[in-house]
Amino acid sequence: AQKVTQTQTSISVMEKTTVTMDCVYETQDSSYFLFWYKQTASGEIVFLIRQDSYKKENATVGHYSLNFQKPKSSIGLIITATQIEDSAVYFCAMRELSGSFNKLTFGAGTRLAVCP
Amino acid sequence: ETAVFQTPNYHVTQVGNEVSFNCKQTLGHDTMYWYKQDSKKLLKIMFSYNNKQLIVNETVPRRFSPQSSDKAHLNLRIKSVEPEDSAVYLCASSAKDRGNTEVFFGKGTRLTVV
């Protein structure tokens, strides 16, 4: 069964710094897809970035990038030049390629506070 | 910009009542979902549905049932609510039902059972 673990419950950083949020996963599949989502204070969940397991290059979108370490089953989210509006809860998620039940399994989330 | 619309935003009801939440997506997606988010922010899938197949998470109580009129709509009915049903219910959709497709979420319906 697939499992996603985010051990950091909350992080606080100063504005304009870089932050890394950790995520480790468990899967029996050789092919899978990893996602990061952001939930704002209003409750809205927004897709940020994705990493396909068969790709060696780390994905980058805007000021979000990933640190994909496949041997460690780890997919860290890096936010550079953080802004106040980056304050939110960040969820790591995984979907396996196979499996009878198509589902996106989420981690417990990491709450990020960006301080001025 | 939101393209998955949920109503109502909030609902308060008493134990034993029946409730129904609506969801519509305007993305032309083939697959829709319902997720439950508890007070600790844990997100768990309840249903996955496309025009061919409904897949139910085996942990979902039978009092929950999805209802779909077409691929753009997936409502959620709870037959007889219980206190543990208090949560935020999130509707979502994706272009495909597998692979690297992104999932788009609505803003959620917060249910409080008193």
Side-chain angles (χ1 to χ4, degrees):
Chain A
Q2 56 189 30
K3 184 179 178 182
V4 178
T5 303
Q6 296 177 253
T7 56
Q8 301 157 304
T9 53
S10 66
I11 301 174
S12 182
V13 300
M14 299 300 293
E15 192 179 11
K16 300 179 185 177
T17 61
T18 295
V19 64
T20 299
M21 282 175 270
D22 301 328
C23 176
V24 293
Y25 56 89
E26 296 176 22
T27 179
Q28 302 299 319
D29 271 27
S30 57
S31 291
Y32 48 89
F33 309 94
L34 301 160
F35 305 80
W36 279 90
Y37 284 81
K38 168 184 176 181
Q39 186 169 34
T40 63
S42 68
E44 191 172 8
I45 298 177
V46 178
F47 166 76
L48 296 177
I49 191 170
R50 182 189 79 236
Q51 180 78 39
D52 299 342
S53 64
Y54 52 84
K55 292 187 178 178
K56 293 184 178 179
E57 302 80 21
N58 290 321
T60 298
V61 176
H63 75 146
Y64 302 108
S65 61
L66 297 177
N67 179 18
F68 180 41
Q69 299 184 58
K70 195 170 183 179
K72 295 183 178 180
S73 296
S74 171
I75 184 73
L77 173 68
I78 303 167
I79 306 177
T80 56
T82 51
Q83 303 163 11
I84 301 296
E85 51 267 34
D86 291 325
S87 296
V89 178
Y90 289 80
F91 291 97
C92 176
M94 177 176 68
R95 179 189 287 122
E96 295 171 330
L97 181 63
S98 64
S100 60
F101 182 32
N102 168 59
K103 62 178 180 179
L104 199 59
T105 298
F106 286 84
T110 297
R111 184 176 297 276
L112 174 66
V114 180
C115 306
Chain B
E1 187 175 340
T2 303
V4 180
F5 302 95
Q6 292 185 238
T7 57
N9 295 327
Y10 304 92
H11 189 77
V12 181
T13 192
Q14 293 182 326
V15 171
N17 284 351
E18 177 175 318
V19 299
S20 188
F21 304 146
N22 300 317
C23 179
K24 170 187 175 181
Q25 55 96 2
T26 59
L27 296 164
H29 287 168
D30 284 336
T31 304
M32 296 185 72
Y33 313 83
W34 277 101
Y35 280 82
K36 179 181 180 180
Q37 186 172 39
D38 63 21
S39 58
K40 296 181 180 179
K41 294 284 190 181
L42 292 173
L43 275 160
K44 290 191 176 177
I45 191 165
M46 301 177 71
F47 304 100
S48 167
Y49 185 81
N50 64 21
N51 55 14
K52 299 175 184 176
Q53 191 176 18
L54 168 68
I55 302 178
V56 181
N57 187 330
E58 63 274 7
T59 66
V60 173
R62 294 171 65 90
R63 62 181 179 277
F64 289 85
S65 61
Q67 299 170 320
S68 178
S69 56
D70 54 58
K71 71 175 189 177
H73 296 83
L74 185 67
N75 300 332
L76 179 66
R77 186 180 78 157
I78 313 175
K79 209 169 182 179
S80 176
V81 297
E82 298 187 6
E84 60 264 31
D85 298 337
S86 293
V88 176
Y89 292 87
L90 290 148
C91 178
S93 72
S94 63
K96 298 180 295 183
D97 65 354
R98 62 192 67 249
N100 62 6
T101 184
E102 301 155 25
V103 175
F104 294 81
F105 287 86
K107 294 186 177 181
T109 295
R110 181 177 296 278
L111 173 66
T112 301
V113 181
V114 298

